[in-house]
Amino acid sequence: MNTHDTQGTVRERHDENAEALKLAVVVASTREGRFAPTVAAWFLRQAAHRHDLDVDVIDLAEARLPEDLSGRPGPEAARVAARIDAADAFVIVTPEYNHSFPAPLKTALDWHYAEWRAKPVGFVSYGGLSGGLRAVEHLRQIFAELHAVTVRDTVSFHGARSCFDGAGEPLDPTGPETAAKTMLDQLAWWGRTLRAGRTVHPYTA
């Protein structure tokens, strides 16, 4: 169930008897020396506070999807496809490269189609001055083409490497933690709503 505060923000009231949402967290960066593990680990600690989520981490550096899309999917693509298909919702953890998102993430999006459909997507982005938000805006267009629903609120780290201490914790945790909770509340609402809709009426549009 949901309640609203005086500003109209959706606040989740969790039903312990409800089936947990299967949340796939996709780590987009595969570069050597990447900062993604720090950001992803922090976000996973936020998601761990939620009893309504069952989290699966899809690290594209480990998935090793083939870049050539002209042939049949190999076992790597098939394994990732099964995990995406099983998910009820997604969070994409992405940096910004040249005003957009990493090529391996585009490969993951292009290898799969029906698996993303009628499911919600949230974003945790990081980068320089823009905090990865230009990558997120590009991704919103692509997920719309895949018939997925992107939630409004995001988590973004501007000048990301200077935002975290040596233990991988934000120097100022209040803002990121609040943003993560807001985004996860929205994602959970859409996740349950769309899961119920797909159960009653399979999405075929």
Side-chain angles (χ1 to χ4, degrees), residues 16-119:
E16 294 182 356
N17 295 319
E19 181 184 355
L21 284 174
K22 296 176 181 177
L23 172 66
V25 176
V26 180
V27 182
S29 175
T30 64
R31 285 185 177 180
E32 184 177 353
R34 61 190 180 143
F35 195 60
T38 298
V39 179
W42 169 82
F43 176 72
L44 290 170
R45 290 194 292 274
Q46 308 311 303
H49 297 309
R50 309 278 302 220
H51 301 294
D52 55 342
L53 300 176
D54 178 10
V55 179
D56 178 29
V57 182
I58 303 175
D59 188 341
L60 296 183
E62 299 174 357
R64 300 186 181 280
L65 294 172
E67 297 179 7
D68 184 2
L69 302 175
S70 62
R72 293 194 174 193
E76 299 89 350
R79 282 192 291 269
V80 172
R83 295 167 70 184
I84 294 173
D85 192 47
D88 297 308
F90 306 96
V91 168
I92 309 298
V93 179
T94 185
E96 180 179 314
Y97 296 161
N98 300 320
H99 284 225
S100 193
F101 55 91
L105 177 56
K106 186 62 165 67
T107 298
L109 294 171
D110 289 346
W111 264 119
H112 309 100
Y113 179 68
E115 295 87 350
W116 305 103
R117 299 177 75 180
K119 297 177 183 179

Side-chain angles (χ1 to χ4, degrees), residues 94-96 125-137 156-158:
T94 185
E96 180 179 314
S125 66
Y126 61 96
L129 291 175
S130 74
L133 292 175
R134 291 174 293 202
V136 170
E137 291 310 306
S156 59
F157 291 97
H158 303 253

Side-chain angles (χ1 to χ4, degrees), residues 149-165:
V149 177
T150 59
V151 301
R152 177 188 181 277
D153 286 78
T154 68
V155 183
S156 59
F157 291 97
H158 303 253
R161 290 182 184 269
S162 64
C163 292
F164 288 80
D165 63 20

